[in-house]
Amino acid sequence: MGPFLLYRIPHAVKRVRAAPIAAALVLIACGTLFGENPLDWLSRVRRAAGVPGVQADALLSLTAEDYARRLASRGMLSHKGDDGSSALDRYRALGGTEVRVGEILGAGPAAGLVQEAWMASAEHRQVALAPEWTHAGWGSAAAGTSVVVVMLFTRKLVVGLELQSGTAVFSARGRFLPVYAAAPVLINGLDEVAPSAWEPESRSFVFEVPRSSLEGYLRLGFRTADGSFTLTNAFSPVGGPGR
């Protein structure tokens, strides 16, 4: 049996038929399914295509591994979880805050064959080799004589993001990577919050929001010199890194 693939271009609306992969399901450890580390492989093929490699992200890998096991237990491939979730939903449920996630799926007799099939597919190459990705994670699970492989991608524009939920104040701090980030923005509900601290040279920011004024969902981003806005992260006051 050759590899069977499904892909998802971020933000694309696409109906995906659930594809059966096996009847008898046995899960085994991810580390035994690959020779070369999948993220080393991904960075290698990306650099060969003239785009930057990616950094490993533990939360993306945790999300991917959990979903690979869920797919294997269901005996099918689908980007839509049995609970109706998307890849972004699953990443957020485990504490992810980035606002864009890409996903590719595959199943076949060997993980290396799935990787080869990804590269032979224009749609999968488009996702895997997209220049904007900075981080990736992967997970796999055995399903009978097949292996299910899930790879997730995201773009991180903030480093050192720390979210602290105190009894009186919720705080968010970090540093924007893009040199064109001219002003930090935090939106609480519909209201924009003024930063408590902002260092233009390092692009480091601190926001502090009284808990009494929190509206349940916060969006972080920045404005450029021409006033355009880029959304980088979204989170609730009780979720995300550093809580």
Side-chain angles (χ1 to χ4, degrees), residues 10-69:
H11 299 313
V13 177
K14 183 177 185 290
R15 291 186 179 274
V16 181
R17 178 178 60 86
I21 54 175
L25 305 175
V26 181
L27 302 184
I28 64 177
C30 292
T32 66
L33 299 173
F34 293 84
E36 182 182 15
N37 182 292
L39 297 187
D40 291 342
W41 165 83
L42 178 63
S43 287
R44 177 170 54 79
V45 297
R46 284 173 62 89
R47 293 188 182 109
V51 296
V54 294
Q55 297 181 49
D57 184 85
L59 190 59
L60 285 174
S61 287
L62 180 63
T63 307
E65 181 174 350
D66 178 71
Y67 194 53
R69 291 179 174 177

Side-chain angles (χ1 to χ4, degrees), residues 62-87:
L62 180 63
T63 307
E65 181 174 350
D66 178 71
Y67 194 53
R69 291 179 174 177
R70 288 166 59 182
L71 290 174
S73 68
R74 293 168 63 191
M76 61 181 60
L77 288 181
S78 174
H79 289 288
K80 185 177 182 179
D82 53 1
D83 56 357
S85 63
S86 67

Side-chain angles (χ1 to χ4, degrees), residues 69-235:
R69 291 179 174 177
R70 288 166 59 182
L71 290 174
S73 68
R74 293 168 63 191
M76 61 181 60
L77 288 181
S78 174
H79 289 288
K80 185 177 182 179
D82 53 1
D83 56 357
S85 63
S86 67
L88 183 60
D89 294 332
R90 295 185 285 272
Y91 174 62
R92 290 278 182 81
L94 294 179
T97 67
E98 273 64 42
V99 296
R100 192 179 185 205
V101 169
E103 178 182 74
I104 53 177
L105 309 176
L113 295 177
V114 174
Q115 293 173 337
E116 291 177 10
W118 280 341
M119 291 299 99
S121 162
E123 293 90 351
H124 291 81
R125 284 182 63 88
Q126 180 181 355
V127 178
L129 305 184
E132 62 264 31
W133 303 135
T134 61
H135 291 72
W138 70 280
S140 63
T145 58
S146 294
V147 56
V148 180
V149 187
V150 178
M151 191 163 279
L152 294 176
F153 312 84
T154 196
R155 183 186 187 193
K156 295 195 174 189
L157 299 178
V158 177
V159 294
L161 180 61
E162 295 182 8
L163 308 178
Q164 298 291 339
S165 187
T167 56
V169 173
F170 174 83
S171 65
R173 66 183 65 223
R175 182 173 69 86
F176 294 117
L177 281 173
V179 296
Y180 48 84
V185 176
L186 184 68
I187 301 172
N188 175 29
L190 297 176
D191 299 323
E192 189 168 323
V193 178
S196 301
W198 168 242
E199 299 178 3
E201 290 188 2
S202 65
R203 301 178 301 283
S204 298
F205 60 84
V206 177
F207 287 96
E208 294 182 335
V209 186
R211 293 199 62 84
S212 59
S213 67
L214 287 171
E215 298 189 25
Y217 200 70
L218 297 163
R219 288 164 290 163
L220 175 68
F222 59 82
R223 288 195 177 89
T224 60
D226 65 4
S228 61
F229 173 70
T230 296
L231 180 66
T232 61
N233 302 78
F235 40 82

